[in-house]
Amino acid sequence: LVVAAILFATFQAISMAKDKGDSLNTSPENTKYAVFAGGCFWCTESDFEKIDGVLSAVSGYTGGHVKNPTYKQVSGGGTGHIEAVKVVYDPTRISFEGLLEVFWQHVDPADPGGQFVDRGPQYRSAIFYTDENEKLLAENSKENLAATGRFDKSIATDILRLGTFYPAEKYHQDYYKKNPLRYKYYRSGSGRDQFLKKTWADVKSGNRKGAKKMGMKMEKSDTSMYSRPADEKLKKRLTPLQYRVAIENG
């Protein structure tokens, strides 16, 4: 029975990965997507998929000049690509701004040379935008994060226009589910969680536990970090049509 249970769980995980793999570059109707790079995509995918309102997260590569890159090519450097994750979400349950909150609290935004144990530009942190509204929201959140003084160094996270997103090989999808022991061993040794716990120690423990449902809301002293840009700033940066869209979605 134990062997049967293990085989069933393994088959179920593989089937889920196959279902995800069959629609890696599509999004369900009435959903949106956003792309973030936070170092090892196993970790970034796992972190986002635990958030209420996130429907799925797909590991992949973007930002480079090589078509249909492989993991070996990207991890070796030279392709210009970054390990990233495409997050498909329900905008009625979580906003792009909410995803930004989640992102900041799962990376070291002051590290320009990679993330934790993974070094090199292919592992650096980045936020990818698809329109001017997302670009403005990302820039505003980055500026406000820097203004909090939480980090001694400047915020190094790139804000880049999204190009072609190439899904990673299927064995990378849902890695934390298919290989839980290997994933936990890697993550515990990467220094990621130790850094995050220390960096966000002042955030209420209740908020951290409830962050999966609340979009990583912070204490009152830090909520201004994620405020919407002032209307005058929006008007200067956006066209009249973009401004109306930003306000309606705001």
Side-chain angles (χ1 to χ4, degrees):
L1 290 177
V2 174
V3 174
I6 293 174
L7 289 174
F8 176 76
T10 301
F11 174 78
Q12 190 175 43
I14 293 174
S15 297
M16 290 173 63
K18 185 179 185 301
D19 292 340
K20 176 188 280 189
D22 290 339
S23 57
L24 292 179
N25 262 327
T26 61
S27 299
E29 190 176 356
N30 299 322
T31 64
K32 292 186 176 182
Y33 69 87
V35 176
F36 301 93
C40 171
F41 48 29
W42 298 342
C43 297
T44 307
E45 178 186 317
S46 171
D47 291 335
F48 273 108
E49 286 197 337
K50 293 179 176 65
I51 302 300
D52 184 47
V54 171
L55 306 179
S56 68
V58 177
S59 292
Y61 320 107
T62 192
H65 57 273
V66 176
K67 293 183 178 180
N68 300 310
T70 64
Y71 176 72
K72 184 176 181 180
Q73 288 176 313
V74 175
S75 62
T79 65
H81 287 295
I82 311 173
E83 281 199 10
V85 169
K86 178 182 178 181
V87 179
V88 180
Y89 65 100
D90 180 349
T92 66
R93 295 163 62 192
I94 189 169
S95 65
F96 181 72
E97 291 161 289
L99 294 176
L100 288 171
E101 295 177 17
V102 174
F103 171 75
W104 290 127
Q105 292 198 36
H106 284 92
V107 298
D108 178 359
D111 185 351
Q115 286 291 289
F116 311 106
V117 73
D118 296 302
R119 311 311 302 163
Q122 66 271 37
Y123 293 107
R124 71 189 189 275
S125 64
I127 299 167
F128 294 89
Y129 62 89
T130 59
D131 57 37
E132 288 301 309
N133 183 44
E134 287 185 351
K135 180 182 180 182
L136 191 61
L137 291 172
E139 290 176 341
N140 184 68
S141 68
K142 180 178 177 178
E143 291 171 2
N144 286 329
L145 175 62
T148 65
R150 186 177 292 274
F151 298 93
D152 295 332
K153 299 179 182 179
S154 60
I155 305 303
T157 299
D158 289 326
I159 298 176
L160 308 170
R161 176 172 289 280
L162 179 64
T164 303
F165 178 86
Y166 298 96
E169 295 83 346
K170 287 187 178 180
Y171 69 88
H172 284 300
Q173 309 302 333
D174 289 321
Y175 189 88
Y176 73 101
K177 294 179 182 177
K178 294 183 291 186
N179 301 279
L181 293 180
R182 291 181 180 179
Y183 170 73
K184 289 177 181 178
Y185 179 79
Y186 161 78
R187 180 152 185 156
S188 65
S190 71
R192 179 184 292 261
D193 289 332
Q194 296 89 326
F195 172 86
L196 298 177
K197 183 177 181 180
K198 179 180 178 181
T199 302
W200 300 99
D202 60 316
V203 177
K204 292 180 180 179
S205 59
N207 279 354
R208 289 190 66 82
K209 292 179 180 178
K212 297 183 178 86
K213 293 184 178 180
M214 299 299 291
M216 287 297 177
K217 295 300 181 184
M218 301 174 64
E219 292 181 315
K220 288 185 177 180
S221 60
D222 288 323
T223 54
S224 62
M225 175 179 149
Y226 306 112
S227 60
R228 194 184 77 184
D231 285 354
E232 287 302 315
K233 187 174 182 180
L234 281 171
K235 288 180 180 179
K236 291 180 181 179
R237 295 290 299 276
L238 304 178
T239 65
L241 177 59
Q242 291 170 339
Y243 176 77
R244 288 202 302 275
V245 173
I247 294 302
E248 290 172 358
N249 292 341

